[in-house]
Amino acid sequence: MIVYFPTAYTDELLYSQLARYYTKSGYMAYTFAAEELFASKTVRPDMDFINSYTSAAVQAITRNISMEAVIEKHTMFPCYGRFLPRERRQKAFQSLVSMMGNYYNLLPIPQSKNGKVRCLRYCPACAANDREQYGEAYWHRIQQIIGIHVCPAHRCYLMDSGVMISGKATPSFKTAEEMIPQSESCVFADNEIEIRVAVYMAEVFQADVDMDSCVTVGDFLHSQMANTQYRSVRGEQRNIAVFHADFKEYYGDLPHNWFTELWQTQKVLTNDRVNFYEICLMAMFLGITIDELVHMELPEKTQQQLFDEEVYRLHEQGLKYPAIAKALSAPYVTVKAIGERRYGTYHKPTKALLKSGAKPQNWNQIDENTLPLVKDAISQLQGDGTTRPKKVTTFAVEKILHLSSKKISLHLPKCLAEIQRYKESQEQYWAREVVWAARQLKDTGVTLTWRKVRDLTNMRRRDFEVCLPYIHDYAESELAGQMIHLL
């Protein structure tokens, strides 16, 4: 029973609030707190977002605040969900509110590269202020935004803590108070563009998320190039090479900047990339204010633009200029001049084109046809007893079948349901892997020892220890007994 639960601080991660609850409630071990808080006690606390909580935990978390407000003010949703297309943004938000767990398939969360693992970060000056004001430090959301390296408030560089944001980390609750040194000097930034980027991104992040906006960020950024050298005279084409050259020069002194390629810029403008950092860099370069970016609106077309478009539309249908002028009750000379601006004096009307482009997909049929392939892929991942088993995930299945990322999650519900039938915790997978290794050793007549199991699985001792409770689920009693007594 949850008797005491701390109130969340400003901009505090929900994980930080739960960690403070764990520390102050006097639990003997993490497992006891996990049973109280999580629907599955083997789950790993999600540091950026949420988990599936028990009814008692939900009641405590939402005692003074709605779950919707928790998602927007105490998770990283404003960073990853703000610039998604409307339907996907709303699906991700509702997934978080309902604790369904498939939000990772909807949010554009970048994967770790080059084996580098993210850690919770902190600002020494913020920690000192927190201790003075609240009596303890806590984990701030802003300091976890990918792309920010400087504290927007104090202009000192953020520090990595020892708390890893990784699916491979041992489940635990670590408070900022226990992980951040009591006295630590700040290293102040002197790079003006780095400071400005951090302040801009932080202000965008803290603004309310417009859940109903239908404007896509690529179209909005394109509209903001109007009346600049980055749009053609009529505004239909982008001078992307000029934009990219000026953009790179503007951010030439920005350290750790990965957003430097022309193709990356193109993909943002075509709505194929929705990275928070990249969008903020482009918006700041174009002089877009915080309010304009968080409440994206497209400029209304002038009467002249609407009239021009109607002339072009009728002309594409094969009408001659006299007929267009009559249809629009406009002077023939005016209509002819508008047409010749686009088509030239000697342009002939184009023939009616056959419908082309991407054909609508019958996703129900595709789902049915793909399901047997998904089952085969799952069998491959589980192994046949001789091959090493792998964890069954949507990503792993998509990789085997050469499907595009998130295709199963977004469009193939039957395939997704089949994959989720085999959903397991990391500890359960480790247990399955250990049993496979033990059987390999037994089949070859080798004496079963911890070292030989470790050599086959490359598993750490502590990981082996946490998976022991699940060994009986995958091995017969005799073999399970031998494995439990290996250490």
Side-chain angles (χ1 to χ4, degrees), residues 26-44:
Y27 285 105
M28 298 295 292
Y30 165 81
T31 306
F32 300 125
E35 289 179 348
E36 193 82 55
L37 294 172
F38 303 130
S40 171
K41 66 178 182 180
T42 61
V43 76
R44 182 175 287 100

Side-chain angles (χ1 to χ4, degrees), residues 344-357:
T345 306
Y346 304 104
H347 178 80
K348 295 181 180 179
T350 57
K351 295 180 180 179
L353 299 176
L354 296 175
K355 290 185 178 180
S356 60

Side-chain angles (χ1 to χ4, degrees), residues 66-125:
S66 67
M67 183 58 82
E68 288 79 3
V70 170
I71 302 305
E72 188 167 353
K73 299 301 181 182
H74 297 286
T75 75
M76 299 304 293
F77 177 79
C79 179
Y80 299 108
R82 181 183 299 276
F83 296 117
L84 288 176
R86 179 187 177 187
E87 183 178 356
R88 187 171 165 187
R89 178 170 66 246
Q90 292 179 341
K91 276 185 178 180
F93 186 75
Q94 289 305 317
S95 174
L96 285 163
V97 171
S98 62
M99 302 181 295
M100 292 299 293
N102 63 337
Y103 53 87
Y104 267 95
N105 298 319
L106 298 166
L107 296 172
I109 303 172
Q111 301 295 318
S112 298
K113 294 182 180 179
N114 303 321
K116 186 175 181 181
V117 178
R118 285 176 58 213
C119 290
L120 287 175
R121 296 182 299 170
Y122 65 92
C123 162

Side-chain angles (χ1 to χ4, degrees), residues 217-225 268-269 279 282-283 286 288:
V217 69
D219 293 341
F220 172 73
L221 292 173
H222 173 79
S223 73
Q224 297 301 302
M225 294 181 183
V268 172
L269 292 169
I279 291 166
M282 289 184 67
L286 289 169
I288 299 171

Side-chain angles (χ1 to χ4, degrees), residues 327-351:
L328 299 178
S329 301
Y332 166 74
V333 175
T334 302
V335 171
K336 185 172 184 291
I338 291 171
E340 290 182 352
R341 277 208 306 271
R342 168 176 284 191
Y343 301 110
T345 306
Y346 304 104
H347 178 80
K348 295 181 180 179
T350 57
K351 295 180 180 179

